[in-house]
């Protein structure tokens, strides 16, 4: 399953770091963060609860940039 989320990120480098953090999160098959459109696309592994995985993605991204926002 693939979902798109609106995000707020301050720079392209932070967006890249957030993308890498999301990809390392358990339950995430693939992730893309687009700084220009301020969107994150996450593809989840089969059978996972997308909402709980996104909570973990959010925590991982907050470690990268503490003032980022992901609208779940």
């Amino acid at each position: 399953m693939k979902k798109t989320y609106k995000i707020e990120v301050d720079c392209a480098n932070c967006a890249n770091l957030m993308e890498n953090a999301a990809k390392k999160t358990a339950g995430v098959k693939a992730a893309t963060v687009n700084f220009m459109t301020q969107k994150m696309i996450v593809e989840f592994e089969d059978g996972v609860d997308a909402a709980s995985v996104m909570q973990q993605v959010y925590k991982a991204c907050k470690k990268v940039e503490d003032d980022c926002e992901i609208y779940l």
Side-chain angles (χ1 to χ4, degrees):
M1 161 181 28
K2 213 181 251 192
K3 288 193 170 193
T4 302
Y5 299 92
K6 183 178 178 346
I7 63 168
E8 284 183 23
V9 61
D10 295 333
C11 68
N13 185 51
C14 293
N16 188 41
L17 293 171
M18 287 172 61
E19 180 177 306
N20 290 335
K23 287 178 181 177
K24 293 177 184 173
T25 305
V28 174
K29 188 185 285 186
T32 305
V33 175
N34 187 314
F35 171 68
M36 296 301 289
T37 61
Q38 297 283 293
K39 290 188 179 175
M40 173 185 276
I41 300 170
V42 180
E43 185 176 354
F44 300 96
E45 293 177 0
D46 294 334
V48 299
D49 177 33
S52 64
V53 171
M54 279 308 296
Q55 290 297 325
Q56 297 306 311
V57 168
Y58 183 69
K59 287 178 185 178
C61 289
K62 281 293 212 183
K63 290 179 184 175
V64 171
E65 184 181 332
D66 62 348
D67 65 342
C68 77
E69 287 297 328
I70 301 173
Y71 299 98
L72 307 174

